[in-house]
Amino acid sequence: MMPYFTYERALRAEEVGPALVASGGRTRVLAGGTELVPLLKDRLVKADHLVDIRGLVDEMGGILVGEGGGLRVGALVTLAELARHPLVRANYRALAQAAEATASPELRNQATLGGNLLQLTRCEYFRSGAPCYLNGGQVCFAAEGRHERHSIYPRGTSVSVNPSDPATALLAADASLEILAPSGATRTVPIAEALKDPDHDDPRFLALGEGELIVAVVLPPGERASAYAKAMERADWSFALASVAVSLAFDGEGRVADARVVLGGVAGTPRREPAVEAALTGRRVDRAAVVRAAQAACQDARPLPGNGYKVELVRGLLRRALSGLASGSEGATGRASAV
Amino acid sequence: MAVGTAERTARPRKVPVTLLVNGEAREVWIEPRRTLLDALRVDLGLTGTKKGCDHGNCGACTVLVDGVPVYSCLELAIAREGQAIETIEGLSRGGGLHPLQKAFVEHDAFQCGYCTPGQIMAAKALIDRNPRPTPEEVRAALVGHLCRCGAYAGIVEAVVAAGLALSGDGGEGRPDA
Protein backbone atom coordinates (compact mmCIF):
# COMPACT_ATOMS: atom_id res chain seq x y z
CA MET A 1 0.00 0.00 0.00
CA MET A 2 1.26 3.41 -0.91
CA PRO A 3 1.42 6.22 1.65
CA TYR A 4 -1.40 8.75 1.68
CA PHE A 5 -0.96 11.54 -0.82
CA THR A 6 -3.02 14.20 -2.50
CA TYR A 7 -3.15 14.54 -6.25
CA GLU A 8 -3.47 17.24 -8.84
CA ARG A 9 -3.04 17.67 -12.55
CA ALA A 10 -0.52 20.31 -13.56
CA LEU A 11 -1.82 22.83 -16.06
CA ARG A 12 1.48 24.44 -17.06
CA ALA A 13 5.04 23.12 -16.89
CA GLU A 14 6.30 26.42 -15.45
CA GLU A 15 4.22 25.88 -12.32
CA VAL A 16 5.62 22.48 -11.45
CA GLY A 17 9.18 23.41 -10.46
CA PRO A 18 8.21 26.09 -7.90
CA ALA A 19 5.71 23.66 -6.36
CA LEU A 20 8.42 21.01 -6.03
CA VAL A 21 10.80 23.46 -4.37
CA ALA A 22 8.14 24.80 -2.01
CA SER A 23 7.27 21.28 -0.86
CA GLY A 24 10.77 20.55 0.38
CA GLY A 25 10.86 17.26 -1.47
CA ARG A 26 7.44 16.00 -0.37
CA THR A 27 5.82 16.61 -3.75
CA ARG A 28 6.67 14.19 -6.53
CA VAL A 29 6.08 14.36 -10.26
CA LEU A 30 3.90 11.63 -11.77
CA ALA A 31 4.14 10.89 -15.49
CA GLY A 32 4.01 7.28 -16.70
CA GLY A 33 4.02 5.95 -13.14
CA THR A 34 5.92 2.77 -13.95
CA GLU A 35 8.80 3.84 -11.72
CA LEU A 36 7.20 6.14 -9.15
CA VAL A 37 4.28 3.86 -8.24
CA PRO A 38 6.43 0.82 -7.29
CA LEU A 39 8.86 3.10 -5.42
CA LEU A 40 5.94 4.53 -3.42
CA LYS A 41 4.51 1.06 -2.74
CA ASP A 42 7.86 -0.08 -1.43
CA ARG A 43 8.31 3.16 0.58
CA LEU A 44 11.59 3.83 -1.18
CA VAL A 45 10.54 7.39 -1.96
CA LYS A 46 8.33 9.61 0.16
CA ALA A 47 5.55 11.84 -1.09
CA ASP A 48 2.49 13.50 0.38
CA HIS A 49 1.44 15.10 -2.90
CA LEU A 50 1.69 14.09 -6.55
CA VAL A 51 1.63 16.48 -9.50
CA ASP A 52 0.52 14.63 -12.61
CA ILE A 53 2.25 16.12 -15.65
CA ARG A 54 0.94 13.67 -18.25
CA GLY A 55 -1.46 16.29 -19.61
CA LEU A 56 1.32 18.78 -20.45
CA VAL A 57 1.64 17.48 -23.99
CA ASP A 58 1.83 20.94 -25.61
CA GLU A 59 5.05 21.71 -23.78
CA MET A 60 6.49 18.26 -23.13
CA GLY A 61 4.95 15.90 -25.68
CA GLY A 62 5.37 15.09 -29.32
CA ILE A 63 8.28 14.46 -31.67
CA LEU A 64 9.06 17.51 -33.81
CA VAL A 65 11.63 18.25 -36.48
CA GLY A 66 13.96 20.89 -35.03
CA GLU A 67 15.51 23.93 -36.68
CA GLY A 68 18.29 22.84 -39.01
CA GLY A 69 17.13 19.24 -38.84
CA GLY A 70 17.37 16.95 -35.88
CA LEU A 71 14.47 16.07 -33.65
CA ARG A 72 12.99 17.41 -30.43
CA VAL A 73 11.46 14.53 -28.49
CA GLY A 74 9.17 15.64 -25.68
CA ALA A 75 9.95 14.14 -22.29
CA LEU A 76 6.39 12.80 -22.09
CA VAL A 77 6.76 10.76 -25.29
CA THR A 78 6.28 7.12 -24.36
CA LEU A 79 8.89 4.52 -25.22
CA ALA A 80 6.32 2.90 -27.53
CA GLU A 81 5.84 6.17 -29.42
CA LEU A 82 9.59 6.65 -29.64
CA ALA A 83 10.20 3.12 -30.92
CA ARG A 84 7.66 3.33 -33.73
CA HIS A 85 8.21 6.92 -34.92
CA PRO A 86 9.27 6.84 -38.60
CA LEU A 87 11.90 9.59 -38.30
CA VAL A 88 13.44 8.04 -35.20
CA ARG A 89 13.57 4.65 -36.90
CA ALA A 90 15.07 6.13 -40.04
CA ASN A 91 17.66 8.53 -38.62
CA TYR A 92 18.30 7.41 -35.02
CA ARG A 93 17.95 3.69 -35.39
CA ALA A 94 19.94 2.82 -32.24
CA LEU A 95 17.53 4.93 -30.19
CA ALA A 96 14.48 3.24 -31.72
CA GLN A 97 16.07 -0.14 -31.05
CA ALA A 98 16.94 0.82 -27.47
CA ALA A 99 13.39 1.98 -26.80
CA GLU A 100 11.99 -1.21 -28.29
CA ALA A 101 14.41 -3.34 -26.28
CA THR A 102 13.16 -1.75 -23.04
CA ALA A 103 10.81 -3.69 -20.76
CA SER A 104 7.54 -5.05 -22.18
CA PRO A 105 4.93 -3.64 -24.62
CA GLU A 106 2.66 -2.56 -21.75
CA LEU A 107 5.46 -0.80 -19.90
CA ARG A 108 6.53 0.92 -23.13
CA ASN A 109 2.94 2.15 -23.56
CA GLN A 110 3.05 3.69 -20.09
CA ALA A 111 6.66 4.75 -19.51
CA THR A 112 7.87 8.14 -20.72
CA LEU A 113 11.32 8.96 -22.06
CA GLY A 114 11.93 11.53 -19.31
CA GLY A 115 10.91 9.07 -16.63
CA ASN A 116 13.09 6.37 -18.12
CA LEU A 117 16.12 8.65 -17.77
CA LEU A 118 15.20 9.41 -14.16
CA GLN A 119 14.64 5.83 -12.98
CA LEU A 120 16.68 4.70 -10.02
CA THR A 121 19.02 1.73 -9.79
CA ARG A 122 17.61 -1.76 -10.22
CA CYS A 123 20.03 -3.05 -7.56
CA GLU A 124 18.11 -5.57 -5.48
CA TYR A 125 19.66 -4.36 -2.24
CA PHE A 126 18.38 -0.84 -2.91
CA ARG A 127 15.00 -2.05 -4.13
CA SER A 128 14.50 -4.23 -1.07
CA GLY A 129 15.04 -1.20 1.19
CA ALA A 130 18.42 -2.22 2.55
CA PRO A 131 20.15 0.76 4.20
CA CYS A 132 22.73 1.26 1.46
CA TYR A 133 24.31 4.54 0.32
CA LEU A 134 21.43 5.22 -2.03
CA ASN A 135 18.89 4.61 0.74
CA GLY A 136 20.66 6.99 3.10
CA GLY A 137 22.98 4.43 4.68
CA GLN A 138 26.74 4.11 4.65
CA VAL A 139 27.52 0.97 2.71
CA CYS A 140 27.14 -0.52 -0.75
CA PHE A 141 26.07 -4.09 -0.08
CA ALA A 142 26.52 -5.07 -3.70
CA ALA A 143 30.21 -4.20 -3.70
CA GLU A 144 30.90 -7.12 -1.40
CA GLY A 145 27.72 -9.13 -1.95
CA ARG A 146 25.77 -10.06 -5.06
CA HIS A 147 26.93 -7.88 -7.91
CA GLU A 148 26.65 -9.99 -11.06
CA ARG A 149 24.62 -7.20 -12.69
CA HIS A 150 26.67 -4.32 -11.35
CA SER A 151 29.53 -2.12 -12.50
CA ILE A 152 32.79 -3.30 -14.00
CA TYR A 153 34.07 0.27 -13.63
CA PRO A 154 33.42 0.71 -9.91
CA ARG A 155 33.98 4.22 -8.62
CA GLY A 156 32.39 6.45 -6.03
CA THR A 157 30.14 5.00 -3.38
CA SER A 158 27.68 2.77 -5.26
CA VAL A 159 28.51 0.06 -7.78
CA SER A 160 25.09 0.43 -9.46
CA VAL A 161 24.79 0.66 -13.23
CA ASN A 162 22.51 3.04 -15.12
CA PRO A 163 19.58 0.79 -16.15
CA SER A 164 18.30 2.93 -19.03
CA ASP A 165 18.59 1.55 -22.57
CA PRO A 166 17.67 4.91 -24.15
CA ALA A 167 20.37 6.72 -22.12
CA THR A 168 23.04 4.58 -23.78
CA ALA A 169 21.66 5.27 -27.26
CA LEU A 170 21.20 8.98 -26.51
CA LEU A 171 24.85 9.38 -25.51
CA ALA A 172 25.86 7.70 -28.78
CA ALA A 173 23.56 10.11 -30.62
CA ASP A 174 25.16 13.11 -28.85
CA ALA A 175 21.73 14.17 -27.61
CA SER A 176 21.01 17.06 -25.28
CA LEU A 177 18.42 17.56 -22.57
CA GLU A 178 16.17 20.60 -22.50
CA ILE A 179 15.71 21.38 -18.82
CA LEU A 180 13.24 23.79 -17.26
CA ALA A 181 14.37 25.44 -14.02
CA PRO A 182 11.94 26.56 -11.29
CA SER A 183 12.82 30.15 -12.25
CA GLY A 184 11.21 29.51 -15.63
CA ALA A 185 14.56 29.57 -17.45
CA THR A 186 15.32 26.79 -19.90
CA ARG A 187 18.79 25.37 -20.45
CA THR A 188 20.02 22.78 -22.91
CA VAL A 189 22.72 20.45 -21.65
CA PRO A 190 24.56 17.69 -23.53
CA ILE A 191 23.47 14.39 -22.02
CA ALA A 192 27.16 13.57 -21.60
CA GLU A 193 27.32 16.36 -19.00
CA ALA A 194 24.02 15.53 -17.33
CA LEU A 195 24.75 11.83 -16.73
CA LYS A 196 26.26 11.05 -13.34
CA ASP A 197 26.80 8.20 -10.92
CA PRO A 198 24.15 7.84 -8.24
CA ASP A 199 25.33 8.79 -4.79
CA HIS A 200 24.31 9.33 -1.20
CA ASP A 201 23.08 12.87 -1.86
CA ASP A 202 21.09 12.07 -4.99
CA PRO A 203 20.34 8.50 -6.08
CA ARG A 204 19.39 9.59 -9.61
CA PHE A 205 21.62 9.03 -12.63
CA LEU A 206 21.15 12.60 -13.92
CA ALA A 207 22.42 15.84 -12.42
CA LEU A 208 19.28 17.91 -12.05
CA GLY A 209 18.81 20.78 -9.65
CA GLU A 210 15.95 20.96 -7.18
CA GLY A 211 12.67 21.48 -8.98
CA GLU A 212 14.17 21.08 -12.44
CA LEU A 213 12.16 19.21 -15.09
CA ILE A 214 13.35 17.48 -18.24
CA VAL A 215 11.14 19.03 -20.91
CA ALA A 216 12.57 17.40 -24.03
CA VAL A 217 15.45 15.46 -25.50
CA VAL A 218 17.11 17.10 -28.50
CA LEU A 219 18.70 14.93 -31.19
CA PRO A 220 21.25 16.65 -33.44
CA PRO A 221 20.94 16.48 -37.23
CA GLY A 222 23.36 14.46 -39.32
CA GLU A 223 23.52 11.42 -41.54
CA ARG A 224 24.70 8.61 -39.34
CA ALA A 225 24.26 4.87 -39.21
CA SER A 226 23.59 3.44 -35.79
CA ALA A 227 22.74 0.24 -33.98
CA TYR A 228 21.93 -0.92 -30.45
CA ALA A 229 22.59 -4.40 -29.10
CA LYS A 230 21.59 -5.65 -25.66
CA ALA A 231 22.24 -8.79 -23.63
CA MET A 232 19.72 -9.93 -21.01
CA GLU A 233 19.41 -12.90 -18.69
CA ARG A 234 16.28 -13.93 -20.57
CA ALA A 235 15.33 -13.30 -24.17
CA ASP A 236 13.20 -10.22 -23.53
CA TRP A 237 11.68 -7.95 -20.85
CA SER A 238 14.75 -7.58 -18.69
CA PHE A 239 17.34 -4.94 -17.87
CA ALA A 240 20.61 -4.97 -19.75
CA LEU A 241 23.42 -7.07 -18.36
CA ALA A 242 25.39 -5.10 -20.92
CA SER A 243 24.52 -3.17 -24.04
CA VAL A 244 26.26 -1.21 -26.77
CA ALA A 245 25.18 1.71 -28.93
CA VAL A 246 27.25 2.52 -31.99
CA SER A 247 26.80 5.59 -34.18
CA LEU A 248 28.97 6.01 -37.28
CA ALA A 249 29.38 8.69 -39.93
CA PHE A 250 30.94 7.48 -43.18
CA ASP A 251 32.98 9.42 -45.74
CA GLY A 252 32.40 9.14 -49.48
CA GLU A 253 34.70 6.10 -49.67
CA GLY A 254 32.80 4.05 -47.13
CA ARG A 255 35.33 4.68 -44.40
CA VAL A 256 34.35 5.73 -40.89
CA ALA A 257 34.70 9.49 -40.60
CA ASP A 258 33.44 9.66 -37.02
CA ALA A 259 32.54 7.00 -34.50
CA ARG A 260 30.66 7.22 -31.23
CA VAL A 261 30.67 3.95 -29.30
CA VAL A 262 28.90 3.73 -25.94
CA LEU A 263 28.66 0.87 -23.46
CA GLY A 264 25.59 0.46 -21.25
CA GLY A 265 24.96 -1.69 -18.20
CA VAL A 266 28.60 -1.73 -17.19
CA ALA A 267 29.10 1.48 -15.20
CA GLY A 268 27.32 4.17 -13.22
CA THR A 269 26.90 6.07 -16.45
CA PRO A 270 26.74 4.93 -20.07
CA ARG A 271 30.38 4.98 -21.07
CA ARG A 272 32.07 6.12 -24.27
CA GLU A 273 34.82 3.80 -25.46
CA PRO A 274 37.54 5.95 -27.12
CA ALA A 275 39.73 2.93 -27.86
CA VAL A 276 36.99 1.31 -29.92
CA GLU A 277 36.17 4.59 -31.65
CA ALA A 278 39.84 5.05 -32.57
CA ALA A 279 40.06 1.50 -33.91
CA LEU A 280 37.17 2.24 -36.28
CA THR A 281 37.97 5.77 -37.42
CA GLY A 282 39.41 6.07 -40.91
CA ARG A 283 38.70 2.42 -41.73
CA ARG A 284 36.14 0.50 -43.68
CA VAL A 285 33.95 -1.57 -41.37
CA ASP A 286 34.93 -5.03 -42.54
CA ARG A 287 35.27 -8.26 -40.65
CA ALA A 288 38.83 -7.63 -39.53
CA ALA A 289 38.01 -4.10 -38.35
CA VAL A 290 35.00 -5.36 -36.41
CA VAL A 291 37.03 -7.99 -34.57
CA ARG A 292 39.87 -5.60 -33.80
CA ALA A 293 37.56 -2.82 -32.62
CA ALA A 294 35.58 -5.13 -30.36
CA GLN A 295 38.76 -6.46 -28.78
CA ALA A 296 39.77 -2.90 -27.88
CA ALA A 297 36.76 -2.57 -25.56
CA CYS A 298 36.98 -2.78 -21.78
CA GLN A 299 40.78 -2.90 -21.64
CA ASP A 300 40.63 -0.68 -18.58
CA ALA A 301 37.69 -2.41 -16.88
CA ARG A 302 38.11 -3.47 -13.26
CA PRO A 303 35.38 -6.06 -12.79
CA LEU A 304 34.20 -7.09 -9.35
CA PRO A 305 34.79 -10.76 -8.42
CA GLY A 306 31.35 -11.76 -9.72
CA ASN A 307 30.95 -9.87 -12.97
CA GLY A 308 34.03 -10.33 -15.12
CA TYR A 309 31.82 -12.04 -17.70
CA LYS A 310 30.61 -8.62 -18.79
CA VAL A 311 33.90 -7.87 -20.57
CA GLU A 312 33.45 -10.66 -23.13
CA LEU A 313 29.73 -9.93 -23.29
CA VAL A 314 30.45 -6.33 -24.34
CA ARG A 315 32.91 -7.47 -27.01
CA GLY A 316 30.38 -9.90 -28.45
CA LEU A 317 27.70 -7.22 -28.51
CA LEU A 318 30.07 -4.86 -30.30
CA ARG A 319 30.80 -7.50 -32.95
CA ARG A 320 27.07 -7.98 -33.43
CA ALA A 321 26.24 -4.26 -33.64
CA LEU A 322 29.19 -3.41 -35.88
CA SER A 323 28.57 -6.33 -38.25
CA GLY A 324 25.14 -4.86 -38.95
CA LEU A 325 26.78 -1.56 -39.88
CA ALA A 326 29.46 -3.06 -42.13
CA SER A 327 30.55 -0.76 -44.97
CA GLY A 328 28.30 -1.17 -47.96
CA SER A 329 25.64 -3.05 -46.03
CA GLU A 330 22.07 -1.90 -45.69
CA GLY A 331 22.69 -1.01 -42.05
CA ALA A 332 25.48 1.38 -42.99
CA THR A 333 22.99 3.62 -44.75
CA GLY A 334 21.19 4.06 -41.46
CA ARG A 335 17.95 3.49 -43.31
CA ALA A 336 17.25 -0.11 -42.41
CA SER A 337 14.17 -0.75 -40.33
CA ALA A 338 14.65 -0.90 -36.58
CA VAL A 339 15.32 -4.25 -34.89
CA MET B 1 0.65 25.60 -3.58
CA ALA B 2 1.29 27.35 -6.86
CA VAL B 3 0.15 24.62 -9.19
CA GLY B 4 -3.34 24.62 -7.76
CA THR B 5 -6.19 23.24 -9.79
CA ALA B 6 -9.68 22.42 -8.76
CA GLU B 7 -8.65 18.79 -8.59
CA ARG B 8 -6.25 19.26 -5.70
CA THR B 9 -7.64 17.56 -2.63
CA ALA B 10 -7.26 19.48 0.62
CA ARG B 11 -6.08 16.44 2.56
CA PRO B 12 -5.74 12.75 1.88
CA ARG B 13 -9.30 11.56 1.75
CA LYS B 14 -11.66 9.87 -0.62
CA VAL B 15 -12.71 11.80 -3.67
CA PRO B 16 -15.31 11.03 -6.33
CA VAL B 17 -13.82 9.69 -9.54
CA THR B 18 -15.81 8.65 -12.59
CA LEU B 19 -14.29 5.71 -14.40
CA LEU B 20 -15.53 4.73 -17.84
CA VAL B 21 -15.38 0.95 -17.62
CA ASN B 22 -16.54 -1.30 -20.44
CA GLY B 23 -18.61 1.52 -21.88
CA GLU B 24 -20.33 2.44 -18.63
CA ALA B 25 -19.62 5.50 -16.44
CA ARG B 26 -19.09 4.32 -12.86
CA GLU B 27 -18.49 6.67 -9.94
CA VAL B 28 -16.24 5.48 -7.17
CA TRP B 29 -15.12 7.22 -3.97
CA ILE B 30 -11.45 6.51 -3.67
CA GLU B 31 -8.25 7.83 -2.18
CA PRO B 32 -5.87 9.33 -4.74
CA ARG B 33 -3.44 6.50 -3.96
CA ARG B 34 -5.92 3.90 -5.21
CA THR B 35 -4.48 2.01 -8.15
CA LEU B 36 -6.67 1.38 -11.15
CA LEU B 37 -6.32 -2.33 -10.39
CA ASP B 38 -7.68 -1.98 -6.85
CA ALA B 39 -10.43 0.39 -7.98
CA LEU B 40 -11.59 -2.21 -10.51
CA ARG B 41 -11.39 -5.17 -8.15
CA VAL B 42 -12.35 -3.67 -4.80
CA ASP B 43 -14.50 -0.66 -5.59
CA LEU B 44 -16.26 -1.98 -8.67
CA GLY B 45 -16.17 -5.70 -7.89
CA LEU B 46 -14.66 -6.48 -11.28
CA THR B 47 -12.38 -9.25 -10.07
CA GLY B 48 -11.66 -10.66 -13.51
CA THR B 49 -8.57 -8.47 -13.63
CA LYS B 50 -5.96 -10.23 -11.48
CA LYS B 51 -3.36 -8.97 -9.03
CA GLY B 52 -0.13 -10.92 -9.34
CA CYS B 53 3.02 -9.06 -8.41
CA ASP B 54 1.45 -5.59 -8.03
CA HIS B 55 4.75 -4.17 -9.34
CA GLY B 56 4.51 -4.36 -13.13
CA ASN B 57 6.53 -7.56 -13.34
CA CYS B 58 3.93 -10.17 -14.33
CA GLY B 59 1.18 -8.79 -16.62
CA ALA B 60 -1.79 -10.36 -14.82
CA CYS B 61 -3.43 -6.95 -14.24
CA THR B 62 -3.40 -5.83 -17.87
CA VAL B 63 -6.41 -3.79 -19.02
CA LEU B 64 -6.92 -1.55 -22.04
CA VAL B 65 -6.97 2.22 -21.64
CA ASP B 66 -8.17 3.90 -24.82
CA GLY B 67 -7.47 0.61 -26.57
CA VAL B 68 -3.87 0.36 -25.40
CA PRO B 69 -2.76 -2.40 -22.99
CA VAL B 70 -1.32 -1.16 -19.68
CA TYR B 71 -0.52 -2.70 -16.32
CA SER B 72 -3.33 -1.42 -14.08
CA CYS B 73 -1.27 -2.00 -10.91
CA LEU B 74 0.98 0.89 -11.98
CA GLU B 75 -1.83 3.30 -12.80
CA LEU B 76 -3.59 5.58 -10.35
CA ALA B 77 -7.33 5.33 -10.94
CA ILE B 78 -7.74 9.07 -10.44
CA ALA B 79 -5.29 9.75 -13.26
CA ARG B 80 -7.36 7.72 -15.74
CA GLU B 81 -10.67 9.44 -15.03
CA GLY B 82 -12.74 9.78 -18.18
CA GLN B 83 -10.61 7.46 -20.33
CA ALA B 84 -12.10 4.32 -21.87
CA ILE B 85 -11.11 1.35 -19.71
CA GLU B 86 -11.74 -2.16 -20.97
CA THR B 87 -11.49 -5.25 -18.78
CA ILE B 88 -12.03 -8.95 -19.34
CA GLU B 89 -15.63 -8.53 -18.15
CA GLY B 90 -16.29 -6.37 -21.20
CA LEU B 91 -15.48 -9.09 -23.71
CA SER B 92 -18.42 -11.43 -23.62
CA ARG B 93 -21.21 -10.64 -26.05
CA GLY B 94 -24.79 -11.41 -25.15
CA GLY B 95 -23.68 -13.88 -22.51
CA GLY B 96 -21.47 -15.81 -24.91
CA LEU B 97 -17.71 -16.05 -24.85
CA HIS B 98 -15.60 -13.73 -27.00
CA PRO B 99 -13.75 -15.59 -29.80
CA LEU B 100 -10.50 -15.06 -27.90
CA GLN B 101 -11.98 -16.68 -24.80
CA LYS B 102 -13.31 -19.59 -26.86
CA ALA B 103 -9.95 -20.05 -28.53
CA PHE B 104 -8.16 -20.10 -25.16
CA VAL B 105 -10.45 -22.95 -24.08
CA GLU B 106 -10.10 -24.84 -27.35
CA HIS B 107 -6.31 -24.52 -27.54
CA ASP B 108 -5.45 -25.40 -23.93
CA ALA B 109 -4.12 -21.90 -23.44
CA PHE B 110 -4.23 -22.05 -19.65
CA GLN B 111 -4.11 -24.34 -16.67
CA CYS B 112 -4.65 -22.33 -13.50
CA GLY B 113 -6.03 -19.37 -15.46
CA TYR B 114 -4.58 -16.62 -13.28
CA CYS B 115 -2.63 -14.92 -16.07
CA THR B 116 -5.40 -15.50 -18.62
CA PRO B 117 -7.39 -12.24 -18.32
CA GLY B 118 -4.21 -10.21 -18.81
CA GLN B 119 -3.07 -12.37 -21.70
CA ILE B 120 -6.46 -12.04 -23.37
CA MET B 121 -6.64 -8.26 -22.99
CA ALA B 122 -3.18 -7.83 -24.52
CA ALA B 123 -4.17 -10.26 -27.28
CA LYS B 124 -7.35 -8.28 -27.90
CA ALA B 125 -5.35 -5.06 -28.37
CA LEU B 126 -3.17 -6.93 -30.85
CA ILE B 127 -5.88 -8.43 -33.00
CA ASP B 128 -7.95 -5.23 -32.92
CA ARG B 129 -5.16 -3.55 -34.89
CA ASN B 130 -3.71 -6.62 -36.63
CA PRO B 131 -6.44 -9.24 -37.08
CA ARG B 132 -4.16 -11.88 -38.55
CA PRO B 133 -0.94 -11.79 -36.53
CA THR B 134 1.83 -14.29 -37.15
CA PRO B 135 2.95 -16.43 -34.20
CA GLU B 136 6.03 -14.23 -33.98
CA GLU B 137 3.87 -11.11 -33.71
CA VAL B 138 1.79 -12.76 -31.00
CA ARG B 139 4.89 -13.65 -29.02
CA ALA B 140 6.19 -10.06 -29.31
CA ALA B 141 2.85 -8.60 -28.18
CA LEU B 142 2.50 -10.96 -25.21
CA VAL B 143 6.08 -10.92 -23.97
CA GLY B 144 4.97 -8.88 -20.97
CA HIS B 145 2.89 -11.72 -19.55
CA LEU B 146 4.26 -14.49 -17.38
CA CYS B 147 2.47 -17.85 -17.34
CA ARG B 148 3.88 -19.99 -14.59
CA CYS B 149 1.92 -23.01 -15.84
CA GLY B 150 3.86 -22.70 -19.08
CA ALA B 151 0.89 -22.62 -21.44
CA TYR B 152 2.73 -20.34 -23.85
CA ALA B 153 2.48 -22.57 -26.92
CA GLY B 154 -1.29 -22.91 -26.50
CA ILE B 155 -1.64 -19.17 -25.94
CA VAL B 156 0.09 -18.33 -29.21
CA GLU B 157 -2.05 -20.87 -31.08
CA ALA B 158 -5.22 -19.50 -29.48
CA VAL B 159 -4.51 -15.90 -30.42
CA VAL B 160 -3.69 -16.80 -34.02
CA ALA B 161 -6.86 -18.88 -34.25
CA ALA B 162 -9.03 -16.18 -32.66
CA GLY B 163 -7.73 -13.60 -35.09
CA LEU B 164 -8.70 -15.83 -37.97
CA ALA B 165 -12.12 -16.51 -36.49
CA LEU B 166 -12.74 -12.80 -35.93
CA SER B 167 -11.66 -11.84 -39.43
CA GLY B 168 -14.08 -14.39 -40.84
CA ASP B 169 -11.44 -16.86 -41.95
CA GLY B 170 -12.24 -20.35 -40.72
CA GLY B 171 -8.63 -21.42 -40.88
CA GLU B 172 -7.80 -21.09 -44.54
CA GLY B 173 -4.76 -19.01 -45.27
CA ARG B 174 -3.50 -19.35 -41.74
CA PRO B 175 -0.03 -17.91 -41.23
CA ASP B 176 2.71 -20.48 -40.90
CA ALA B 177 3.49 -21.54 -37.37
Side-chain angles (χ1 to χ4, degrees), chain A residues 161-226:
Chain A
V161 294
N162 185 320
S164 166
D165 294 297
T168 302
L170 288 172
L171 181 55
D174 200 15
S176 296
L177 303 181
E178 193 180 312
I179 295 169
L180 176 65
S183 66
T186 300
R187 63 189 174 105
T188 302
V189 188
I191 193 168
E193 290 172 26
L195 290 163
K196 72 168 188 70
D197 283 45
D199 57 39
H200 186 278
D201 295 326
D202 186 349
R204 297 179 297 183
F205 289 89
L206 285 181
L208 289 184
E210 191 183 6
E212 284 192 324
L213 283 186
I214 305 174
V215 179
V217 175
V218 180
L219 300 168
E223 284 264 315
R224 299 179 73 95
S226 67

Side-chain angles (χ1 to χ4, degrees), chain B residues 42-89:
Chain B
V42 179
D43 300 297
L44 293 175
L46 296 171
T47 53
T49 304
K50 298 296 184 248
K51 181 184 283 192
C53 69
D54 208 25
H55 276 67
N57 292 327
C58 77
C61 67
T62 300
V63 301
L64 307 188
V65 175
D66 292 338
V68 172
V70 301
Y71 296 150
S72 62
C73 73
L74 301 179
E75 294 283 348
L76 298 183
I78 194 172
R80 292 305 196 174
E81 180 160 36
Q83 290 182 269
I85 297 159
E86 202 173 345
T87 71
I88 189 76
E89 288 89 350

